[in-house]
Amino acid sequence: MTLLEVIKKASATHEPREFQSDYPFILNPDDVFPKLKPKHENPDRTALAYPITGWQLQQADSQLIDSTKKFHKKLRRKIKGTNSFDGDEFIQMLNQFLAKTSQSIGISVGVNSSDNGYPRVLLEKVGFLMGQDVSGLVLEACVNFEVWDLVETLIVNGLIEKSYYSNLITSLAAKKRSDLLCLCIKHALDLGSSELLCILKYFLSPLKDAYGTLMCAKKEWESQALLAIERVNDINISGKKLRIAKNASILLMIAHDDFSVPELCLHYLLASSNVDEVILVSSLGKLNGQEMMNLIRYLGKWLKKFERFPQAIPCPKASSLLGLKACDWVPKMEDVVRWLGLVLDENFSSLVLHPEFHEELKSMERVVQSLALEAKVCCSLGNVIDSLRFEAEGEQN
C-alpha cells in the first residue's frame, strides 16, 4: 500500500479511535511555564534549544485526563459490546462523568440533577473538556438512542469534530431529522462533498414522512417574521432601530412567502459562508435531473423576488439589535447568482436535454435582464450623486 493510499484510507475513516489521546483537551500553560527551569546552571544561550526541568502536569489536569480515559473506555465497551445498554443507562453515565468533571474544576452547573435539562446544561458547561474522542462516542450514543436534544447541544456548542459530521448528517437524513440538519448547516465548518450532496438531495427531493420535522424550520421563519412586524409596531423603537426593523420585515417577508418548507431550509445552505465553491461544484454534479430542476426553480424564485422587491437589502445588524437572527440566513443576490452560475456552468450540456429547463431559462433571462438594467441605471445615478457631492465639497472648501 502506497503512502497516498494510507492517507486516503485514514481520512475516509470516521469511526472513533479505539484508544483515546493522552491529552484529550487543551492544557492551560499558565501554571506550567513559570516552573520550567534550565537543566544546567549555565546553559548555552546561543543554542537553538537546551534541556529544561520542571515539566509537570497539574494534579487537577492529571485527574481529569484519567477520568476522561476511563469514561471513554467504559462507554466504548458499552456501545460496542452489550445489547442491554440503553438510553437511560447512557444518560446516567454521561451525567455522572460530566458532574464529576464540573466538580473537579470548580464549575457550578446551577441546575438540579433531577431537572430534565440537566444533561444539556452539563454539556454546555463542561462539554469542551471531553475531547474529540469522547465527544464522538457521546454523539454516536445520542444518535443511536435518539437523544436529539443532546445532539442539538453538541452541534450548537461546537463539540463535534469535523470528521464526525459525515456519519452524523447521513444518520440525521436517514432518521428524517430536518431540524438538526439545518443546525449542521449553520454550525459545521467546511462541509465535505458527501455531506453537501446528502443535504441537497434531502431538501430537493424530501420524503413525505420528513415533513414533520421540516415544519420546525417553517415555524422558525414564521416566528422571526412575526417578531419583525412586532418590532416595527413597537412604539419604543425609533430612529435607526426602526429603519432596521422595517428593512428586516421586508427581507424576512420575501424569504418566507412563496417558498416551500424544504426550500426554506435551503436558505441556510445558500447563505452559509462555510461552503467551499470547489466542493459545492462536485456535489452539484451528482444531483439527478429532477433535483437539478428543483434547485434551478428555487434559485429562479429568488431572482424574481429580488426583481419584485428591490428595497429588500441585507440587514446584518438586525440580529444583534433586534434579535432577528433569521436575517443572517437570508441569501443575498450575489449568493443566488453564484449558485446559479455554478449550476449552469457545470451542467448546461445535460440540462438542455430537459424541455422544462428551456422554459425556466427563458423566465430567468427576462428577470436577469431587468435586474441588469436596473443595476446600470443605479450605477449611473450613483456616479451623478458622487460627482455632485464632490462639487459641493469643493465649493465649501
Side-chain angles (χ1 to χ4, degrees):
M1 183 179 292
T2 65
L3 177 60
L4 179 60
E5 290 173 338
V6 172
I7 295 173
K8 290 174 66 177
K9 182 179 179 181
S11 63
T13 302
H14 300 289
E15 292 295 325
R17 290 190 291 268
E18 185 175 355
F19 300 103
Q20 193 193 21
S21 168
D22 289 336
Y23 304 101
F25 53 86
I26 298 175
L27 299 172
N28 184 2
D30 294 341
D31 296 327
V32 177
F33 285 170
K35 298 179 181 179
L36 300 180
K37 297 179 180 179
K39 186 175 182 180
H40 306 293
E41 292 185 2
N42 298 311
D44 183 4
R45 299 293 181 179
T46 62
L48 295 177
Y50 49 87
I52 58 174
T53 60
W55 170 261
Q56 185 178 3
L57 291 178
Q58 296 296 309
Q59 184 178 2
D61 289 340
S62 299
Q63 292 175 349
L64 187 56
I65 290 173
D66 291 339
S67 174
T68 304
K69 286 182 177 180
K70 290 178 181 178
F71 177 74
H72 177 271
K73 184 178 180 180
K74 182 179 180 181
L75 181 57
R76 182 176 180 82
R77 186 178 67 251
K78 289 281 187 179
I79 292 176
K80 302 297 181 182
T82 61
N83 296 325
S84 60
F85 188 51
D86 57 19
D88 292 336
E89 184 180 356
F90 162 67
I91 294 297
Q92 184 180 5
M93 280 181 58
L94 182 64
N95 285 349
Q96 291 174 352
F97 166 68
L98 293 176
K100 183 179 179 181
T101 301
S102 66
Q103 292 172 3
S104 66
I105 60 176
I107 293 181
S108 176
V109 178
V111 176
N112 194 288
S113 59
S114 60
D115 292 349
N116 291 332
Y118 184 63
R120 294 192 64 167
V121 176
L122 281 173
L123 273 178
E124 291 170 356
K125 295 283 188 178
V126 296
F128 68 96
L129 291 172
M130 293 191 300
Q132 67 179 39
D133 299 316
V134 172
S135 296
L137 282 180
V138 170
L139 175 65
E140 181 182 350
C142 288
V143 173
N144 290 343
F145 299 129
E146 299 188 352
V147 190
W148 301 123
D149 58 334
L150 294 189
V151 174
E152 178 182 346
T153 304
L154 289 167
I155 296 172
V156 171
N157 289 275
L159 301 177
I160 302 175
E161 203 268 339
K162 179 182 176 181
S163 62
Y164 293 104
Y165 266 104
S166 180
N167 285 342
L168 173 61
I169 288 175
T170 302
S171 299
L172 293 178
K175 294 177 180 291
K176 315 297 187 301
R177 294 300 309 193
S178 313
D179 51 339
L180 295 178
L181 281 174
C182 290
L183 282 180
C184 288
I185 298 172
K186 290 181 180 180
H187 296 279
L189 299 176
D190 301 324
L191 289 171
S193 178
S194 60
E195 295 97 294
L196 283 176
L197 180 61
C198 181
I199 292 171
L200 283 168
K201 283 182 170 291
Y202 183 86
F203 290 124
L204 289 172
S205 53
L207 300 175
K208 290 183 178 180
D209 53 352
Y211 275 82
T213 53
L214 278 170
M215 292 305 295
C216 295
K218 182 178 178 63
K219 291 178 181 178
E220 182 178 351
W221 283 99
E222 287 178 347
S223 65
Q224 287 282 284
L226 291 173
L227 180 60
I229 295 173
E230 291 178 8
R231 294 288 189 264
V232 172
N233 295 325
D234 191 340
I235 59 175
N236 297 318
I237 294 179
S238 60
K240 180 181 178 181
K241 283 189 176 182
L242 182 59
R243 289 195 300 272
I244 293 175
K246 290 180 178 179
N247 291 335
S249 63
I250 296 173
L251 191 66
L252 293 175
M253 178 269 294
I254 70 167
H256 176 270
D257 293 353
D258 300 327
F259 285 106
S260 66
V261 181
E263 288 174 339
L264 291 176
C265 298
L266 284 175
H267 292 355
Y268 299 118
L269 198 57
L270 248 69
S272 175
S273 60
N274 295 325
V275 178
D276 183 83
E277 194 167 293
V278 176
I279 295 176
L280 176 60
V281 169
S282 174
S283 302
L284 292 174
K286 297 175 183 176
L287 297 176
N288 61 38
Q290 187 58 52
E291 291 164 347
M292 191 66 71
M293 284 306 307
N294 290 342
L295 178 58
I296 290 174
R297 291 191 183 100
Y298 165 70
L299 297 173
K301 284 184 181 181
W302 269 117
L303 290 178
K304 293 172 184 176
K305 287 290 184 77
F306 290 130
E307 179 195 29
R308 186 179 176 187
F309 300 97
Q311 68 271 37
I313 58 175
C315 300
K317 295 183 179 180
S319 176
S320 58
L321 293 178
L322 302 172
L324 300 173
K325 297 180 180 180
C327 288
D328 294 337
W329 297 102
V330 178
K332 298 184 286 292
M333 183 184 290
E334 50 263 41
D335 297 326
V336 177
V337 172
R338 179 171 65 93
W339 273 67
L340 188 58
L342 293 174
V343 171
L344 296 180
D345 286 346
E346 296 297 323
N347 304 279
F348 188 81
S349 58
S350 59
L351 287 170
V352 293
L353 301 177
H354 298 273
E356 60 269 27
F357 170 68
H358 299 177
E359 299 177 6
E360 288 293 331
L361 191 60
K362 289 178 181 178
S363 175
M364 285 190 291
E365 182 183 15
R366 180 192 62 78
V367 176
V368 170
Q369 287 177 347
S370 173
L371 290 171
L373 179 61
E374 183 179 343
K376 185 177 180 180
V377 173
C378 290
C379 287
S380 300
L381 290 174
N383 292 334
V384 171
I385 293 172
D386 289 339
S387 298
L388 293 174
R389 184 184 293 115
F390 180 76
E391 291 179 5
E393 291 175 354
E395 292 177 357
Q396 291 177 358
N397 295 332

